[in-house]
Amino acid sequence: MNRQYKITLENGLRIVCVPQPHLHACEVSCYIGVGSRYETEKQAGISHFLEHMLFRGTAEYPNSLELEKAFEALGGGANAMTDAESTCYFSRFHPEKVAEGLALFASMLQRPLFGDIETERKIILEEAREDFNEKGELINPDSLMARLIWPDTPLAQPTIGSVETIASVDAQMLRQHHQRFYSPVNTVIAVAGRVEPEVVFLAAERSFGKWQGEAVPQQQKIETSCGERSSWVKDSASQLSVQMALPIPGRESRHALALRILQRILSGGVASRLMMQLRENLGLTYSIEANLTSLRETGALVIDFMVTPDNLVAAVREVCGVLSDLFRTRVPEEELARIVQGYRYDLDFSNDHPDEMVVRYGWGELVGFVRDIEADRTALEQLTTDALTSALAQALDPDQLRLVVVGPWRQSDRPQVEQIVRQFARPVS
């Protein structure tokens, strides 16, 4: 079983190492505590823009080509992603090159040049346009749903920003955002794979030990305050993209494990409830997926699927039916046992994946939510059907169900679909 080791440097930087001596690679992830929830409306997208800019060159590697060649020479290829709460830079390296890999990330995080902004702006604008139709209307279901669940908050803003805000970003704004949030006390470096903790810690100290930065502003608390019940956007596609969501408590809720089990009950495989009913039994969709968005104080259970316009009404009705069954009746012992066993296997499988280890222990360290594998296993053993039923009843409010439909929907279907959503309510047990 993998074990995590952690140190904190004098400058506040945390380094987490998870040795996996049976592997032949290592994964390095650098987590920064900044994302879209820290942005004002006028700044929307700046965290994502800054993420892009760090690949445009550093003091040691003056352009993106030189930087990428340096990563490839170590067996890697740098990548990154930005979400509501964090920005992550990551790469796989050959284990013998972990020290050099850490030095590359140190160069990126501490000494970016902010050059070639206009070229990067064009790239980001092209990426952003994927979220809009030919009329300039937002068609990204995730962003549309966020507006329904968290209206008038930073979470309602697309992580990538808008065409207007992307166009307004300049070098001074980027430097200020970097100085404000890219600080050792706001960063976690996570390394997993065939590495020795002592080697990792020494290399991190050498590359990051002199990094200095300011304390980071606290997160603005965000309340779930659902607005409109549905959002409908016309788009010229052959199918409808449909998203249905229920608000859930934040990741530190006592119901967090029950919600992860719920996600697996709904779409943990072909035998899961949504897949069996909508695909295998009725043939309404090719695939349907349930996921959890878990933030510090809020979140959402999100269900995504695609259907033809002819199947929209039936599909929404069936999803509501599957969810209603979870409120009406307890999950059978056999089903819960099967789901829990699959979860246990996934915990075991994760020990072979360094990318999962850096998320579990690195991202977990950043947001203050480290879930040890053994602790997860123990919690699973203690979960009963009664406890699951009680947790779901307390964590989910069916009256808050929200719906997004994007595509060539028919006006005649909308009243019927909206009525199904309105009538979805917690049955009396």
Side-chain angles (χ1 to χ4, degrees), residues 7-25:
I7 66 168
T8 301
L9 302 184
E10 290 184 4
N11 60 6
L13 179 72
R14 289 161 286 172
I15 302 118
V16 175
C17 183
V18 184
Q20 296 171 287
H22 56 292
L23 301 182
H24 296 83

Side-chain angles (χ1 to χ4, degrees), residues 102-145:
L102 287 168
L104 280 178
F105 279 124
S107 182
M108 288 179 65
L109 298 182
Q110 298 174 61
R111 298 178 291 276
L113 295 179
F114 299 105
D116 215 359
I117 291 178
E118 293 310 316
T119 299
E120 200 61 42
R121 191 192 315 278
K122 292 178 183 178
I123 294 171
I124 296 170
L125 284 170
E126 288 301 313
E127 183 182 356
R129 288 188 178 103
E130 296 177 4
D131 290 347
F132 298 86
N133 63 16
E134 62 275 11
K135 297 179 181 178
E137 297 171 311
L138 184 66
I139 57 172
N140 183 304
D142 293 332
S143 297
L144 291 167
M145 183 60 74

Side-chain angles (χ1 to χ4, degrees), residues 252-309:
E252 297 179 5
S253 164
R254 67 183 186 279
H255 305 309
L257 176 63
L259 290 168
R260 294 198 295 274
I261 292 294
L262 170 63
Q263 184 267 330
R264 289 168 173 261
I265 290 172
L266 291 173
S267 72
V270 175
S272 61
R273 293 193 181 193
L274 288 173
M275 282 289 282
M276 282 300 300
Q277 184 64 5
L278 276 83
R279 171 177 159 151
E280 298 301 308
N281 295 340
L282 300 175
L284 294 174
T285 184
Y286 174 73
S287 178
I288 182 166
E289 188 171 304
N291 288 293
L292 299 177
T293 297
S294 296
L295 304 177
R296 178 170 57 88
E297 72 279 60
T298 186
L301 167 68
V302 181
I303 298 169
D304 287 285
F305 57 96
M306 298 185 72
V307 292
T308 63

Side-chain angles (χ1 to χ4, degrees), residues 32-77:
I32 315 293
V34 63
S36 58
R37 71 175 296 165
Y38 291 91
E39 301 167 354
T40 66
E41 186 175 354
K42 292 182 179 180
Q43 290 179 315
I46 193 170
S47 299
H48 175 260
F49 203 130
L50 179 57
E51 170 221 304
H52 274 242
M53 288 305 302
L54 264 60
F55 291 91
R56 276 286 158 187
T58 75
E60 291 77 16
Y61 306 93
N63 56 57
S64 57
L65 177 60
E66 293 302 315
L67 186 59
E68 184 57 36
K69 286 165 60 178
F71 272 97
E72 290 178 2
L74 307 180

Side-chain angles (χ1 to χ4, degrees), residues 127-193:
E127 183 182 356
R129 288 188 178 103
E130 296 177 4
D131 290 347
F132 298 86
N133 63 16
E134 62 275 11
K135 297 179 181 178
E137 297 171 311
L138 184 66
I139 57 172
N140 183 304
D142 293 332
S143 297
L144 291 167
M145 183 60 74
R147 290 180 176 182
L148 297 181
I149 297 180
W150 301 290
D152 304 317
T153 74
L155 295 183
Q157 302 167 175
T159 301
I160 199 169
S162 66
V163 172
E164 293 75 21
T165 59
I166 295 168
S168 71
V169 172
D170 59 28
Q172 181 180 0
M173 293 170 63
L174 289 167
R175 290 181 186 279
Q176 289 175 344
H177 202 67
H178 179 267
Q179 182 177 9
R180 188 181 189 194
F181 290 100
Y182 280 59
S183 167
V185 297
N186 197 37
T187 302
V188 174
I189 308 296
V191 182

